[in-house]
Amino acid sequence: MQNNLFIYNTLSKKKELFIPIHPPFAGIYVCGPTVYGDAHLGHARPAITFDLLFRYLLHLDYKVRYVRNITDVGHLENDADEGEDKIEKKARLEEKQPMEVAQFYINRYHLLMNKLGVLPPTIEPLASGHILEQAKLISTLIKKGFAYKTESGAVYFNIKEYQRKYESYGRLSGRNLDDLYSNTRILQGQSEKLNSFDFALWKIADSNHLMKWNPYPFRNGYPGWHLECTAMSTKYLGKKFDIHGGGIDLLFPHHECEMAQSFAAYGKDSVKYWMHNNLITINGQKMGKSLGNFITLEQLFKGSHPLLNKDYSPMTIRFFILQSHYRSLVDFSNESLLAAESSLTKILKAIEIIKKIKPSNTSTLDINSLNNKCYEALNDDLNTPVLISCLFEGVKYINSLNEGLDKINSDDIETLKNLMNTFVFKILGLENEKNNDKDEPFIEELIDASLNIRQIIKLNKDWSTSDKIREELNKIGILIKDRKNDVGWERE
RNA sequence: GGUCGGUUAACCGAGUGGCUAGGUAGCGGUCUGCAAAACCGUUUACGGCGGUUCGAAUCCGCCACCGACCUCCA
């Protein structure tokens, strides 16, 4: 298949044609969660955005290696390079081993992502499992003169030195080092650093610290946060790989530091395309753990949050997120979730209806051009809102065919079926949550039988009895649709 | 304060210098024994003020408001 995929590169601030470094392979690295709490709506966005990218690249026949890490060490609670490790704090509060906390939330994360139809990445590395790789990277950086060891044994990245040699710190996030000088907060306990914005590569653990390692030549400590992504992406994708993704809130300082580390260590850019998804807001404010204004996915699925009017299914959430472009801000509201629910139902219904459409000798619809429009939408930086509008055009076609207002030949009907199935299920990753009954054929026969009897009653114009049957079936969730010459039904 | 981004109809949400995005909700109609569904039609759009242009919601400038990052955050 001809690849015409353009993606917006944060580094160049332009949409660029996606040309992988080693076709037919494509390498993606996405920053995954820090596992110290349940995933909330905000976590669903990058997971779904890059799941879409993963699915589309697979559909385009790329051999995709998709690495999404788990941060289970090194992410500190408070100010830069100070404060307590997030996972360790949770462990202390819950009287558990840090690895127990991490494992618990890893399991939860997998469960929730699975519900959202997010495919597992092909590699899901843990930061704690790559201490040696991180130590080796620190040694390289020290050897090349971009990192320094302090008296206590901690190691920091020397941004000033990096800037002197390469003049490229701030390139990704559009930051200017002089501004950083004047704007960076002076934090307590940073006397060891040469400059306030130098970031930690290796931290020394105090006596209470539970998670500590001794990878030669560093001891009694743990790695800094930015380090893991460089170490693990290099290990699994190489020193230069295709796509690095993550939330836009990670752009600075995390990705900027990552980029600097890699460049310093290997003398070249490690990433060809940087992609950033936008955030989800709630009442116009970023949904975030530290702000405490988040709604967890579990709460959404159960409707158990004061701001929720009802429960929303995982597929409603997925569709809600895909309805906006990944680089746009999305504001949470019951109204838009409700709208997403109705819209998705409409699409899924049409996909059921198309199975029953009978072909004609001719077509009055241009299915091929619709097919092209779908690809054009995705190729334009994964423009899912436009893709969805095209799919609604397909829905319109299907309903119109069902009404007998349009005609379609058997080739076109296959194309249309294939188009809807491919884009809705395979690429957008949506699922029909209602179609999971094992005894469905039996139920169908049962309902068909009762409706056949009702048709006889209707012929006798016994409206009250036929209405009664409709009412009774409706009570158990069956919706009757009387038509001119026959009758249809569906589950509510 | 610095940097960056946004402001589209009731709500959500794309987009282009001139041609109906789409969805949800509402209203009217067709169909139906009735209802539902479906179909058809339809309602106040492009934050404000200037400028460029034959023409701007789309380009430029200024202003207002909102947000993100500058600390951990997806």
Side-chain angles (χ1 to χ4, degrees):
Chain A
M1 183 169 295
Q2 175 82 33
N3 166 32
N4 247 334
L5 172 62
F6 279 76
I7 54 185
Y8 181 86
N9 190 346
T10 311
L11 189 56
S12 66
K13 291 187 163 54
K14 278 179 199 140
K15 287 181 195 171
E16 297 175 11
L17 180 62
F18 176 66
I19 303 168
I21 301 165
H22 304 292
F25 299 97
I28 312 176
Y29 186 93
V30 173
C31 292
T34 303
V35 280
Y36 67 110
D38 238 5
H40 60 69
L41 184 56
H43 293 100
R45 191 139 197 221
I48 290 171
T49 298
F50 294 105
D51 184 55
L52 169 77
L53 177 68
F54 181 34
R55 286 166 178 271
Y56 190 47
L57 290 174
L58 288 174
H59 176 74
L60 295 177
D61 277 340
Y62 285 108
K63 298 191 188 318
V64 187
R65 183 172 295 167
Y66 175 23
V67 182
R68 189 186 62 204
N69 71 299
I70 299 270
T71 298
D72 61 346
V73 65
H75 214 158
L76 302 177
E77 181 70 15
N78 280 310
D79 295 324
D81 307 328
E82 291 303 317
E84 202 170 0
D85 184 288
K86 291 188 169 192
I87 289 152
E88 187 150 319
K89 182 183 177 188
K90 191 89 182 178
R92 187 170 50 73
L93 293 173
E94 296 186 0
E95 297 183 304
K96 284 179 180 161
Q97 278 288 321
M99 284 306 262
E100 261 183 308
V101 171
Q103 188 65 58
F104 179 80
Y105 289 112
I106 288 169
N107 293 345
R108 293 278 305 152
Y109 185 73
H110 287 161
L111 183 80
L112 292 162
M113 291 306 124
N114 184 46
K115 283 188 179 177
L116 287 171
V118 172
L119 298 172
T122 56
I123 300 177
E124 190 172 49
L126 269 63
S128 65
H130 297 76
I131 301 293
L132 292 177
E133 287 82 354
Q134 298 183 67
K136 199 177 157 205
L137 180 58
I138 300 173
S139 295
T140 304
L141 289 169
I142 292 176
K143 207 189 302 171
K144 295 206 171 182
F146 293 110
Y148 55 93
K149 204 166 183 172
T150 67
E151 245 174 70
S152 72
V155 182
Y156 293 94
F157 187 84
N158 190 338
I159 287 183
K160 221 170 172 179
E161 176 58 20
Y162 175 70
Q163 189 65 3
R164 193 188 63 75
K165 180 120 188 239
Y166 292 120
E167 292 185 2
S168 68
Y169 189 79
R171 217 163 94 239
L172 179 64
S173 60
R175 234 142 278 242
N176 159 336
L177 202 55
D178 292 333
D179 293 341
L180 287 175
Y181 271 112
S182 49
N183 287 320
T184 304
R185 290 193 304 162
I186 305 300
L187 300 165
Q188 298 243 315
Q190 292 193 332
S191 50
E192 282 200 321
K193 292 188 191 179
L194 292 178
N195 283 295
S196 58
F197 40 74
D198 287 352
F199 57 91
L201 298 171
W202 188 258
K203 293 287 293 178
I204 299 301
D206 60 33
S207 53
N208 299 325
H209 214 94
L210 295 168
M211 292 193 286
K212 46 194 163 191
W213 290 264
N214 292 289
Y216 180 82
F218 312 105
R219 41 192 53 252
N220 202 31
Y222 53 94
W225 174 39
H226 309 309
L227 202 58
E228 58 174 281
C229 293
T230 302
M232 297 190 290
S233 63
T234 306
K235 175 160 184 175
Y236 298 112
L237 296 169
K239 287 177 184 170
K240 177 146 185 151
F241 58 96
D242 298 308
I243 298 169
H244 191 311
I248 201 168
D249 51 346
L250 297 178
L251 182 56
F252 189 89
H254 184 52
H255 290 160
E256 192 70 59
C257 293
E258 231 186 289
M259 194 167 133
Q261 268 167 189
S262 302
F263 206 106
Y266 309 122
K268 60 180 179 188
D269 273 329
S270 55
V271 175
K272 194 167 179 192
Y273 308 93
W274 282 93
M275 292 177 76
H276 292 94
N277 62 275
N278 215 319
L279 307 176
I280 293 181
T281 60
I282 182 159
N283 293 322
Q285 261 222 322
K286 172 184 170 180
M287 186 180 286
K289 253 177 187 147
S290 48
L291 291 164
N293 60 351
F294 58 90
I295 302 179
T296 66
L297 290 168
E298 173 105 352
Q299 287 170 329
L300 281 157
F301 299 162
K302 291 187 171 162
S304 60
H305 187 282
L307 287 171
L308 297 172
N309 296 343
K310 67 182 282 296
D311 59 303
Y312 299 98
S313 76
M315 283 305 131
T316 300
I317 305 294
R318 188 175 176 108
F319 190 78
F320 167 71
I321 287 174
L322 290 169
Q323 253 185 327
S324 5
H325 187 255
Y326 75 91
R327 285 191 287 115
S328 301
L329 218 51
V330 168
D331 195 50
F332 160 87
S333 76
N334 279 284
E335 258 185 319
S336 22
L337 279 167
L338 220 50
E341 192 176 67
S342 305
S343 305
L344 177 58
T345 305
K346 194 169 169 180
I347 292 175
L348 294 173
K349 271 186 188 173
I351 292 177
E352 288 302 307
I353 290 169
I354 196 175
K355 292 176 184 165
K356 296 168 194 161
I357 304 275
K358 304 231 160 49
S360 308
N361 292 329
T362 52
S363 278
T364 52
L365 300 165
D366 187 354
I367 307 297
N368 285 325
S369 101
L370 182 65
N371 200 37
N372 291 339
K373 275 164 72 182
C374 289
Y375 281 105
E376 277 169 26
L378 273 184
N379 285 338
D380 184 16
D381 193 29
L382 304 176
N383 197 330
T384 51
V386 168
L387 170 63
I388 289 170
S389 86
C390 294
L391 293 174
F392 271 107
E393 204 164 319
V395 169
K396 203 170 179 177
Y397 289 177
I398 292 165
N399 288 327
S400 168
L401 289 163
N402 194 37
E403 293 287 321
L405 299 172
D406 274 297
K407 287 180 178 173
I408 190 164
N409 64 33
S410 52
D411 282 352
D412 280 350
I413 211 167
E414 278 312 305
T415 308
L416 184 57
K417 249 186 222 174
N418 189 37
L419 176 162
M420 295 301 286
N421 283 316
T422 301
F423 284 99
V424 174
F425 300 127
K426 222 170 129 196
I427 296 177
L428 291 181
L430 298 162
E431 291 159 23
N432 196 334
E433 291 163 317
K434 287 172 193 165
N435 278 356
N436 46 14
D437 287 293
K438 284 175 197 156
D439 50 1
E440 193 71 27
F442 178 67
I443 289 177
E444 275 186 30
E445 285 172 28
L446 207 59
I447 293 165
D448 286 343
S450 40
L451 289 184
N452 287 342
I453 297 165
R454 180 165 169 273
Q455 288 302 90
I456 296 166
I457 292 165
K458 278 177 70 185
L459 281 176
N460 294 330
K461 295 193 195 294
D462 180 358
W463 307 126
S464 69
T465 306
S466 78
D467 285 356
K468 181 71 182 165
I469 293 170
R470 184 165 66 194
E471 197 184 306
E472 289 292 319
L473 285 172
N474 192 244
K475 274 185 198 165
I476 58 168
I478 306 295
L479 203 68
I480 306 303
K481 295 192 285 191
D482 283 314
R483 296 143 61 87
K484 210 164 193 171
N485 298 314
D486 62 344
V487 59
W489 63 273
E490 66 187 35
R491 308 189 77 172
E492 275 181 320

